[in-house]
Amino acid sequence: MVLKSDDVNYLIYRYLKESGFLHTSYIFQFESQVHGAGSEQANVEPGSLIRVLQKGLQYMDVETHLNEDGTARLCTAPFSLVGKHVCSVQADARGAAKGAPHGGHTLVHDAKEKRGARVDNGDESESMDVDVPDADAPRGERGRRRGLLVDSAQLLRGHAAPVFLCAWSAGGVLATGAGDGTARIWDVARGGSVALRHEAGEAGARVDITAIAWSEQGALLATASFDGQLRVWTGAGELKQQLRQRRVPVIAVRWNRKGSSLLSAHLDGSVALWDVHTGQLRHELLRAHAGCVLDADWLDNSTFATCGNDRTVRIWRDGEPIKTLSGHSADINSIRWHPAGKFLASASDDGSVKV
């Protein structure tokens, strides 16, 4: 990892300018000589400094609330960029922890702060601006008409905390996961849902849902949570299997093609391979990566790839490593096999995609 002061200065300059502090940004630009360092040639997206700070804050949150044995420490106190963090747990009258615990793949905040000014609770739909092609327009003009008002968007209510994940099955069934300790399978037509609850062992405390994935056939849904729970549900929301390796946060879950095996990627750098029919652990790769495993993807029923913040992609067959790919200079966030299996794409924090 290379951290240069010129790059940091350029991100600060961009933040000041994008936030409207024009005079301050010009003074900072002059004093730091940021445009003389060549950083302005970089392809830096708007809001880059905020994203870096948010990512660092999430890492600090996880680091603070992860015990040495891999268990998650329950905490409802807000985690901020400045000031000393003091953990606390508030209990309501029923003895359950009030609010969702921090830590893990996502930070749980008060949902009310994110809602802001919304429609009344009785309104089940919202308008939204989307980019859609105009079917009546000439072919050359399709896609040019932007900001069309679509007032048929449906609002699905049910979660009591920020929603982190959503996934469609092959049959068009929607599943979501949130910071209220539940995943939900939705009846989109009626707006109703079936709640898939993940209760932690201590006082019924809620846990973040960190990963969801439908099997390729769409018959089964896998869910994972920050406290290490890994569960398999039917499409109707009935619990089929509960798989527990150890209390280590799960970052990603992936099904093989047949839907017979389930792969789970973990915060401590380990990967687990499960037999869904028996619920047994087939392979446990304790040191699959030198850091957190951030993503995984199956090539077929026995071969899969993983990536992590150790900047490598590793390919496995039947739980044995067969190849390691390197070349990225930062965390590798996502990998995907080509549908025909010819190529493997990787996306990284270094701003590049490699195939």
Side-chain angles (χ1 to χ4, degrees), residues 37-253:
S39 297
E40 72 277 10
Q41 303 300 326
N43 184 20
V44 179
E45 296 181 355
S48 293
L49 179 62
I50 299 301
R51 282 194 294 273
V52 170
L53 290 175
Q54 287 176 334
K55 204 162 191 177
L57 190 62
Q58 286 180 319
Y59 183 88
M60 292 167 58
D61 194 352
V62 172
E63 187 179 52
T64 301
H65 297 104
L66 190 65
N67 298 320
E68 293 183 358
D69 61 354
T71 60
R73 190 180 308 125
L74 180 64
C75 175
T76 59
F79 202 94
S80 63
L81 193 62
V82 295
K84 183 178 179 180
H85 177 73
V86 179
C87 290
S88 67
V89 178
Q90 298 177 358
D92 59 18
R94 294 174 294 180
K98 184 178 180 181
H102 293 298
H105 189 52
T106 49
L107 296 177
V108 182
H109 300 285
D110 186 358
K112 294 180 180 178
E113 295 180 1
K114 288 192 174 182
R115 290 195 186 104
R118 291 271 181 100
V119 295
D120 295 335
N121 291 336
D123 186 4
E124 292 302 320
S125 64
E126 289 184 344
S127 298
M128 60 187 297
D129 289 334
V130 297
D131 295 337
V132 296
D134 188 346
D136 297 327
R139 180 178 297 273
E141 296 182 4
R142 292 183 185 180
R144 297 180 184 175
R145 301 184 182 183
R146 295 184 172 273
L148 298 180
L149 184 63
V150 177
D151 56 7
S152 61
Q154 184 176 359
L155 178 64
L156 303 176
R157 285 196 174 96
H159 287 295
V163 182
F164 306 128
L165 307 160
C166 63
W168 291 97
S169 72
V173 179
L174 178 65
T176 57
D180 58 2
T182 69
R184 288 182 178 268
I185 298 176
W186 294 88
D187 181 343
V188 177
R190 295 183 175 87
S193 64
V194 177
L196 316 178
R197 303 192 181 279
H198 299 64
E199 299 294 342
E202 300 178 3
R206 298 175 301 184
V207 292
D208 294 2
I209 305 301
T210 56
I212 58 174
W214 287 99
S215 62
E216 188 147 321
Q217 299 77 14
L220 298 173
L221 175 70
T223 62
S225 58
F226 180 68
D227 71 340
Q229 293 185 54
L230 182 59
R231 296 183 175 185
V232 178
W233 312 78
T234 68
E238 299 175 352
L239 182 63
K240 179 179 176 63
Q241 290 281 3
Q242 181 167 345
L243 314 173
R244 183 179 291 274
Q245 177 190 14
R246 47 201 161 87
R247 296 180 67 83
V248 178
V250 181
I251 303 301
V253 291

Side-chain angles (χ1 to χ4, degrees), residues 278-290:
T278 64
Q280 298 299 312
L281 181 64
R282 288 177 50 197
H283 298 285
E284 185 177 18
L285 314 174
L286 291 178
R287 298 187 181 276
H289 287 268

